[in-house]
Amino acid sequence: MTTTFLQAVPPTYGDGGVMMWGMLIAMFAIMYFFMIRPQNKKRKAIENFRKTLQVNQKVVTAGGIYGHLKEVSDSYVMLEIAKGVQIRVDKNSIYEDIADANQQQAAK
């Protein structure tokens, strides 16, 4: 009687592989939506900001230097940090507009 009972239950092998792949796909989706996608969005917003830089705009560099733009070139900008003091800065180091920086600090 026990041999018929053991023969009636089919063995279940292979369900672990499907669960493992499902968890890997779920982990990748979570990482994409919470880490990769927001970083790409922020990078594109900064790139668009750098393309629209204009003379006399108040900006902040990545190093924390505040100033007015006096000249905008393809690869660099001339930044006036004090009256009569101008520095040449790589365009990629311009981070944000001063008005945006002040709004973010006020929100904190």
Side-chain angles (χ1 to χ4, degrees), residues 32 35-53 92 94-96:
Y32 175 77
M35 294 174 68
I36 298 169
R37 187 169 178 245
Q39 287 177 353
N40 286 342
K41 252 180 150 175
K42 187 173 183 176
R43 182 182 48 82
K44 285 182 184 178
I46 291 172
E47 285 177 4
N48 288 336
F49 167 71
R50 287 180 183 146
K51 288 178 185 176
T52 61
L53 290 175
N92 291 326
I94 301 297
Y95 189 66
E96 63 185 341

Side-chain angles (χ1 to χ4, degrees), residues 15-25:
D15 288 340
V18 173
M19 291 294 291
M20 180 185 72
W21 282 106
M23 290 298 290
L24 284 173
I25 291 171

Side-chain angles (χ1 to χ4, degrees), residues 49-93:
F49 167 71
R50 287 180 183 146
K51 288 178 185 176
T52 61
L53 290 175
Q54 298 174 355
V55 176
N56 291 328
Q57 187 175 3
K58 296 178 182 180
V59 295
V60 180
T61 66
I65 300 173
Y66 288 70
H68 293 83
L69 293 176
K70 290 298 178 182
E71 180 184 337
V72 179
S73 175
D74 289 337
S75 61
Y76 70 90
V77 295
M78 291 299 287
L79 187 66
E80 185 174 49
I81 56 176
K83 192 166 196 156
V85 179
Q86 293 184 359
I87 58 174
R88 186 164 78 171
V89 180
D90 188 28
K91 194 173 186 178
N92 291 326
S93 69

